Short mmCIF file of all heavy atoms in Angstrom, two decimals:
data_model
loop_
_atom_site.label_atom_id
_atom_site.label_comp_id
_atom_site.label_asym_id
_atom_site.label_seq_id
_atom_site.Cartn_x
_atom_site.Cartn_y
_atom_site.Cartn_z
N HIS A 8 0.91 -1.20 -0.02
CA HIS A 8 0.02 0.06 0.04
C HIS A 8 0.91 1.21 -0.02
O HIS A 8 1.61 1.48 0.91
CB HIS A 8 -0.89 -0.02 1.29
CG HIS A 8 -2.15 0.86 1.16
ND1 HIS A 8 -3.22 0.70 1.82
CD2 HIS A 8 -2.24 2.03 0.43
CE1 HIS A 8 -4.07 1.66 1.61
NE2 HIS A 8 -3.59 2.46 0.72
N PHE A 9 0.87 2.07 -1.07
CA PHE A 9 1.62 3.21 -1.25
C PHE A 9 1.03 4.33 -0.35
O PHE A 9 -0.23 4.44 -0.31
CB PHE A 9 1.64 3.67 -2.65
CG PHE A 9 2.42 4.93 -2.95
CD1 PHE A 9 3.81 4.96 -3.01
CD2 PHE A 9 1.74 6.17 -2.96
CE1 PHE A 9 4.48 6.05 -3.23
CE2 PHE A 9 2.52 7.40 -3.18
CZ PHE A 9 3.86 7.37 -3.33
N PRO A 10 1.73 5.23 0.44
CA PRO A 10 3.13 5.25 0.33
C PRO A 10 3.89 4.57 1.57
O PRO A 10 4.98 4.45 1.66
CB PRO A 10 3.35 6.86 0.49
CG PRO A 10 2.27 7.21 1.37
CD PRO A 10 1.07 6.39 1.00
N SER A 11 3.09 3.96 2.47
CA SER A 11 3.67 3.43 3.68
C SER A 11 4.38 2.17 3.35
O SER A 11 5.36 1.74 3.95
CB SER A 11 2.62 3.05 4.71
OG SER A 11 1.81 2.06 4.28
N GLY A 12 3.90 1.44 2.39
CA GLY A 12 4.55 0.13 1.95
C GLY A 12 4.05 -1.01 2.74
O GLY A 12 4.33 -2.18 2.45
N SER A 13 3.16 -0.76 3.82
CA SER A 13 2.58 -1.79 4.52
C SER A 13 1.63 -2.62 3.76
O SER A 13 0.83 -2.20 2.92
CB SER A 13 1.82 -1.27 5.67
OG SER A 13 2.57 -0.45 6.57
N PRO A 14 1.69 -3.97 3.82
CA PRO A 14 0.96 -4.85 2.97
C PRO A 14 -0.50 -5.08 3.32
O PRO A 14 -0.68 -5.25 4.61
CB PRO A 14 1.75 -6.17 2.93
CG PRO A 14 2.45 -6.21 4.40
CD PRO A 14 2.74 -4.82 4.57
N GLU A 15 -1.45 -5.09 2.42
CA GLU A 15 -2.79 -5.43 2.67
C GLU A 15 -3.12 -6.82 2.32
O GLU A 15 -2.67 -7.26 1.16
CB GLU A 15 -3.70 -4.48 1.90
CG GLU A 15 -3.40 -2.94 2.19
CD GLU A 15 -3.98 -2.39 3.34
OE1 GLU A 15 -4.51 -3.32 4.30
OE2 GLU A 15 -3.98 -1.19 3.58
N THR A 16 -3.88 -7.61 3.09
CA THR A 16 -4.36 -8.92 2.65
C THR A 16 -5.88 -8.98 3.01
O THR A 16 -6.28 -8.96 4.16
CB THR A 16 -3.62 -9.97 3.46
OG1 THR A 16 -2.19 -9.95 3.23
CG2 THR A 16 -4.12 -11.37 3.07
N PHE A 17 -6.63 -9.19 1.89
CA PHE A 17 -8.06 -9.23 2.01
C PHE A 17 -8.53 -9.97 0.74
O PHE A 17 -7.84 -10.32 -0.22
CB PHE A 17 -8.68 -7.85 2.06
CG PHE A 17 -8.33 -6.98 0.85
CD1 PHE A 17 -9.47 -6.95 -0.17
CD2 PHE A 17 -7.27 -6.26 0.67
CE1 PHE A 17 -9.23 -6.09 -1.36
CE2 PHE A 17 -7.08 -5.41 -0.35
CZ PHE A 17 -8.05 -5.40 -1.40
N GLU A 18 -9.90 -10.43 0.78
CA GLU A 18 -10.48 -11.07 -0.39
C GLU A 18 -11.88 -10.75 -0.55
O GLU A 18 -12.58 -10.30 0.40
CB GLU A 18 -10.34 -12.65 -0.16
CG GLU A 18 -11.02 -13.17 1.12
CD GLU A 18 -10.68 -14.67 1.39
OE1 GLU A 18 -9.87 -15.23 0.72
OE2 GLU A 18 -11.40 -15.29 2.28
N ILE A 19 -12.27 -10.83 -1.80
CA ILE A 19 -13.57 -10.45 -2.22
C ILE A 19 -14.31 -11.78 -2.76
O ILE A 19 -13.65 -12.46 -3.59
CB ILE A 19 -13.60 -9.41 -3.26
CG1 ILE A 19 -13.07 -8.08 -2.73
CG2 ILE A 19 -15.13 -9.08 -3.81
CD1 ILE A 19 -12.84 -6.99 -3.75
N ILE A 20 -15.37 -12.13 -2.28
CA ILE A 20 -16.08 -13.41 -2.62
C ILE A 20 -17.48 -13.15 -3.24
O ILE A 20 -18.22 -12.45 -2.62
CB ILE A 20 -16.23 -14.28 -1.42
CG1 ILE A 20 -14.82 -14.57 -0.71
CG2 ILE A 20 -16.89 -15.63 -1.76
CD1 ILE A 20 -14.96 -15.23 0.61
N LEU A 21 -17.66 -13.68 -4.49
CA LEU A 21 -18.92 -13.51 -5.10
C LEU A 21 -19.68 -14.87 -5.00
O LEU A 21 -19.04 -15.95 -5.28
CB LEU A 21 -18.79 -13.18 -6.64
CG LEU A 21 -17.97 -11.90 -6.92
CD1 LEU A 21 -17.99 -11.67 -8.45
CD2 LEU A 21 -18.46 -10.68 -6.19
N CYS A 22 -21.01 -14.81 -4.59
CA CYS A 22 -21.72 -16.11 -4.37
C CYS A 22 -22.71 -16.38 -5.44
O CYS A 22 -23.36 -15.38 -5.91
CB CYS A 22 -22.44 -16.05 -3.14
SG CYS A 22 -21.39 -15.76 -1.56
N ASP A 23 -22.75 -17.61 -5.80
CA ASP A 23 -23.73 -18.03 -6.93
C ASP A 23 -25.22 -17.90 -6.33
O ASP A 23 -25.55 -18.56 -5.32
CB ASP A 23 -23.43 -19.47 -7.39
CG ASP A 23 -24.29 -19.90 -8.48
OD1 ASP A 23 -25.30 -19.29 -8.90
OD2 ASP A 23 -23.92 -20.96 -9.12
N GLU A 24 -26.03 -17.07 -6.98
CA GLU A 24 -27.47 -16.84 -6.46
C GLU A 24 -28.23 -18.00 -6.48
O GLU A 24 -29.15 -18.13 -5.64
CB GLU A 24 -28.01 -15.76 -7.30
CG GLU A 24 -29.29 -15.17 -6.64
CD GLU A 24 -30.55 -15.88 -7.06
OE1 GLU A 24 -30.51 -16.45 -8.16
OE2 GLU A 24 -31.46 -15.96 -6.26
N ASP A 25 -27.94 -19.04 -7.25
CA ASP A 25 -28.68 -20.33 -7.25
C ASP A 25 -28.54 -21.01 -5.91
O ASP A 25 -29.42 -21.70 -5.53
CB ASP A 25 -28.15 -21.31 -8.35
CG ASP A 25 -28.86 -20.91 -9.67
OD1 ASP A 25 -29.74 -20.07 -9.78
OD2 ASP A 25 -28.48 -21.56 -10.70
N TYR A 26 -27.40 -20.73 -5.18
CA TYR A 26 -27.20 -21.40 -3.95
C TYR A 26 -27.28 -20.42 -2.78
O TYR A 26 -27.21 -20.88 -1.57
CB TYR A 26 -25.91 -22.18 -3.99
CG TYR A 26 -25.86 -23.22 -5.01
CD1 TYR A 26 -25.48 -22.85 -6.41
CD2 TYR A 26 -26.27 -24.56 -4.79
CE1 TYR A 26 -25.50 -23.85 -7.37
CE2 TYR A 26 -26.21 -25.54 -5.76
CZ TYR A 26 -25.84 -25.14 -7.07
OH TYR A 26 -25.86 -26.16 -8.01
N TYR A 27 -27.25 -19.11 -2.98
CA TYR A 27 -27.23 -18.14 -1.98
C TYR A 27 -28.44 -17.16 -2.41
O TYR A 27 -28.12 -15.94 -2.75
CB TYR A 27 -25.95 -17.42 -1.91
CG TYR A 27 -24.78 -18.36 -1.49
CD1 TYR A 27 -24.09 -19.12 -2.49
CD2 TYR A 27 -24.44 -18.58 -0.15
CE1 TYR A 27 -23.05 -19.90 -2.16
CE2 TYR A 27 -23.33 -19.34 0.19
CZ TYR A 27 -22.65 -20.14 -0.77
OH TYR A 27 -21.70 -20.88 -0.48
N PRO A 28 -29.67 -17.58 -2.47
CA PRO A 28 -30.68 -16.70 -2.84
C PRO A 28 -30.99 -15.54 -2.08
O PRO A 28 -30.70 -15.45 -0.86
CB PRO A 28 -31.86 -17.62 -2.98
CG PRO A 28 -31.66 -18.71 -1.86
CD PRO A 28 -30.21 -18.77 -1.87
N THR A 29 -31.39 -14.41 -2.70
CA THR A 29 -31.75 -13.16 -2.05
C THR A 29 -33.17 -12.74 -2.50
O THR A 29 -33.62 -13.19 -3.55
CB THR A 29 -30.73 -12.15 -2.39
OG1 THR A 29 -30.79 -11.74 -3.77
CG2 THR A 29 -29.41 -12.46 -1.92
N PRO A 30 -33.79 -11.77 -1.82
CA PRO A 30 -35.13 -11.30 -2.25
C PRO A 30 -35.14 -10.69 -3.64
O PRO A 30 -36.24 -10.81 -4.34
CB PRO A 30 -35.47 -10.30 -1.21
CG PRO A 30 -34.72 -10.62 -0.03
CD PRO A 30 -33.38 -11.15 -0.53
N THR A 31 -34.05 -10.12 -4.05
CA THR A 31 -34.15 -9.53 -5.45
C THR A 31 -33.43 -10.27 -6.49
O THR A 31 -33.28 -9.98 -7.66
CB THR A 31 -33.34 -8.10 -5.32
OG1 THR A 31 -32.05 -8.34 -4.89
CG2 THR A 31 -34.08 -7.18 -4.42
N ASN A 32 -32.79 -11.45 -6.04
CA ASN A 32 -32.09 -12.37 -6.93
C ASN A 32 -30.74 -11.78 -7.35
O ASN A 32 -30.02 -12.25 -8.12
CB ASN A 32 -32.74 -12.66 -8.20
CG ASN A 32 -34.06 -13.49 -8.09
OD1 ASN A 32 -34.15 -14.22 -6.98
ND2 ASN A 32 -35.09 -13.29 -8.75
N ASP A 33 -30.29 -10.61 -6.67
CA ASP A 33 -29.00 -10.05 -6.80
C ASP A 33 -27.97 -10.92 -5.99
O ASP A 33 -28.30 -11.53 -5.00
CB ASP A 33 -28.90 -8.64 -6.20
CG ASP A 33 -29.67 -7.70 -7.20
OD1 ASP A 33 -30.84 -7.55 -7.16
OD2 ASP A 33 -28.85 -7.15 -7.92
N GLY A 34 -26.76 -10.99 -6.48
CA GLY A 34 -25.71 -11.85 -5.78
C GLY A 34 -25.23 -11.22 -4.52
O GLY A 34 -25.27 -10.05 -4.30
N GLU A 35 -24.84 -12.06 -3.54
CA GLU A 35 -24.23 -11.66 -2.33
C GLU A 35 -22.75 -11.53 -2.52
O GLU A 35 -22.06 -12.29 -3.30
CB GLU A 35 -24.56 -12.60 -1.21
CG GLU A 35 -26.02 -12.67 -0.73
CD GLU A 35 -26.15 -13.40 0.57
OE1 GLU A 35 -25.48 -14.42 0.76
OE2 GLU A 35 -26.97 -12.82 1.36
N ILE A 36 -22.08 -10.64 -1.75
CA ILE A 36 -20.70 -10.32 -1.84
C ILE A 36 -20.14 -10.36 -0.41
O ILE A 36 -20.69 -9.70 0.47
CB ILE A 36 -20.44 -8.94 -2.41
CG1 ILE A 36 -21.01 -8.87 -3.78
CG2 ILE A 36 -18.90 -8.78 -2.59
CD1 ILE A 36 -21.22 -7.48 -4.31
N TYR A 37 -19.06 -11.13 -0.18
CA TYR A 37 -18.36 -11.09 1.14
C TYR A 37 -17.05 -10.43 0.83
O TYR A 37 -16.29 -10.76 -0.13
CB TYR A 37 -18.25 -12.43 1.69
CG TYR A 37 -19.47 -13.15 2.18
CD1 TYR A 37 -20.55 -13.58 1.34
CD2 TYR A 37 -19.69 -13.18 3.52
CE1 TYR A 37 -21.68 -14.19 1.79
CE2 TYR A 37 -20.85 -13.82 4.07
CZ TYR A 37 -21.87 -14.29 3.19
OH TYR A 37 -22.96 -14.83 3.65
N VAL A 38 -16.58 -9.55 1.78
CA VAL A 38 -15.24 -9.09 1.77
C VAL A 38 -14.63 -9.39 3.10
O VAL A 38 -15.17 -9.02 4.17
CB VAL A 38 -15.27 -7.59 1.49
CG1 VAL A 38 -13.70 -7.07 1.39
CG2 VAL A 38 -15.98 -7.18 0.18
N GLN A 39 -13.56 -10.06 3.04
CA GLN A 39 -12.84 -10.52 4.31
C GLN A 39 -11.43 -9.99 4.44
O GLN A 39 -10.71 -9.90 3.40
CB GLN A 39 -12.79 -12.04 4.40
CG GLN A 39 -14.10 -12.72 4.33
CD GLN A 39 -14.07 -14.13 4.91
OE1 GLN A 39 -14.80 -14.55 5.80
NE2 GLN A 39 -13.28 -14.95 4.24
N TYR A 40 -11.18 -9.46 5.70
CA TYR A 40 -9.82 -8.83 5.97
C TYR A 40 -9.04 -9.70 6.93
O TYR A 40 -9.51 -9.77 8.10
CB TYR A 40 -10.16 -7.41 6.52
CG TYR A 40 -10.89 -6.56 5.53
CD1 TYR A 40 -12.32 -6.53 5.57
CD2 TYR A 40 -10.20 -5.74 4.67
CE1 TYR A 40 -13.06 -5.81 4.64
CE2 TYR A 40 -10.96 -4.87 3.83
CZ TYR A 40 -12.38 -4.87 3.83
OH TYR A 40 -13.10 -4.11 3.00
N LEU A 41 -8.03 -10.26 6.38
CA LEU A 41 -7.17 -11.08 7.35
C LEU A 41 -6.43 -10.08 8.30
O LEU A 41 -6.31 -10.51 9.47
CB LEU A 41 -6.11 -11.83 6.41
CG LEU A 41 -5.23 -12.87 7.23
CD1 LEU A 41 -6.09 -13.93 7.77
CD2 LEU A 41 -4.20 -13.46 6.32
N VAL A 42 -6.10 -8.88 7.89
CA VAL A 42 -5.49 -7.96 8.79
C VAL A 42 -6.32 -6.63 8.64
O VAL A 42 -6.90 -6.43 7.50
CB VAL A 42 -4.05 -7.65 8.57
CG1 VAL A 42 -3.22 -8.98 8.88
CG2 VAL A 42 -3.82 -7.31 7.08
N GLU A 43 -6.27 -5.76 9.54
CA GLU A 43 -6.93 -4.51 9.44
C GLU A 43 -6.22 -3.56 8.41
O GLU A 43 -5.19 -3.90 8.12
CB GLU A 43 -6.96 -3.78 10.85
CG GLU A 43 -5.55 -3.36 11.34
CD GLU A 43 -5.60 -2.64 12.55
OE1 GLU A 43 -6.65 -2.36 13.16
OE2 GLU A 43 -4.45 -2.42 13.24
N GLN A 44 -7.00 -2.62 8.02
CA GLN A 44 -6.46 -1.71 7.01
C GLN A 44 -5.10 -1.14 7.49
O GLN A 44 -5.10 -0.60 8.60
CB GLN A 44 -7.50 -0.57 6.72
CG GLN A 44 -8.81 -1.11 6.13
CD GLN A 44 -9.86 0.12 6.00
OE1 GLN A 44 -9.86 0.58 4.85
NE2 GLN A 44 -10.46 0.48 7.03
N GLN A 45 -4.12 -1.08 6.70
CA GLN A 45 -2.79 -0.58 6.95
C GLN A 45 -2.73 0.90 6.73
O GLN A 45 -1.74 1.59 7.42
CB GLN A 45 -1.72 -1.25 6.09
CG GLN A 45 -1.76 -2.78 6.39
CD GLN A 45 -1.48 -3.25 7.84
OE1 GLN A 45 -0.47 -3.02 8.35
NE2 GLN A 45 -2.50 -3.76 8.44
N GLN A 46 -3.69 1.47 6.01
CA GLN A 46 -3.75 3.02 5.86
C GLN A 46 -5.24 3.44 5.88
O GLN A 46 -6.06 2.53 5.68
CB GLN A 46 -3.11 3.49 4.55
CG GLN A 46 -1.56 3.31 4.48
CD GLN A 46 -0.94 3.77 3.22
OE1 GLN A 46 0.15 3.42 2.86
NE2 GLN A 46 -1.62 4.71 2.59
N LEU A 47 -5.41 4.70 6.24
CA LEU A 47 -6.68 5.13 6.37
C LEU A 47 -7.15 6.17 5.34
O LEU A 47 -8.15 6.95 5.56
CB LEU A 47 -6.89 5.68 7.80
CG LEU A 47 -6.68 4.70 8.91
CD1 LEU A 47 -6.67 5.36 10.27
CD2 LEU A 47 -7.54 3.40 8.89
N ASP A 48 -6.51 6.20 4.19
CA ASP A 48 -6.84 7.17 3.18
C ASP A 48 -7.50 6.47 1.88
O ASP A 48 -7.02 6.71 0.85
CB ASP A 48 -5.61 7.98 2.73
CG ASP A 48 -4.46 7.18 2.25
OD1 ASP A 48 -4.40 5.95 2.54
OD2 ASP A 48 -3.60 7.66 1.63
N ASN A 49 -8.34 5.52 2.22
CA ASN A 49 -8.88 4.65 1.10
C ASN A 49 -10.39 4.59 1.29
O ASN A 49 -11.04 5.27 2.12
CB ASN A 49 -8.16 3.33 1.15
CG ASN A 49 -8.05 2.71 2.51
OD1 ASN A 49 -7.17 2.85 3.18
ND2 ASN A 49 -9.17 2.03 2.96
N THR A 50 -10.94 3.75 0.35
CA THR A 50 -12.40 3.60 0.20
C THR A 50 -12.81 2.15 0.31
O THR A 50 -12.16 1.30 -0.31
CB THR A 50 -13.06 4.19 -1.05
OG1 THR A 50 -12.69 5.54 -1.10
CG2 THR A 50 -14.51 4.02 -1.17
N VAL A 51 -13.84 1.90 1.19
CA VAL A 51 -14.38 0.48 1.24
C VAL A 51 -15.96 0.73 0.99
O VAL A 51 -16.60 1.44 1.62
CB VAL A 51 -14.24 -0.07 2.69
CG1 VAL A 51 -14.97 -1.42 2.77
CG2 VAL A 51 -12.70 -0.20 2.92
#
């Protein structure tokens, strides 16, 4: 992560709506953070 150089480790997961149904049939998204954000000048 520029400029500090501290590494970020996270993952974005898209779920198949056939197996993870929702009221609108839109897909579910999971975002997982193995470590907290290394800088605070970003967007989530």
Side-chain angles (χ1 to χ4, degrees):
H8 197 155
F9 179 84
S11 71
S13 300
E15 307 278 11
T16 299
F17 62 95
E18 61 187 9
I19 301 172
I20 303 171
L21 306 182
C22 300
D23 186 345
E24 191 273 330
D25 276 354
Y26 300 88
Y27 301 85
T29 64
T31 61
N32 298 327
D33 286 82
E35 290 194 322
I36 305 161
Y37 288 75
V38 184
Q39 299 199 122
Y40 300 86
L41 189 62
V42 294
E43 65 180 354
Q44 300 177 94
Q45 299 302 294
Q46 288 181 206
L47 301 179
D48 59 341
N49 45 266
T50 301
V51 175

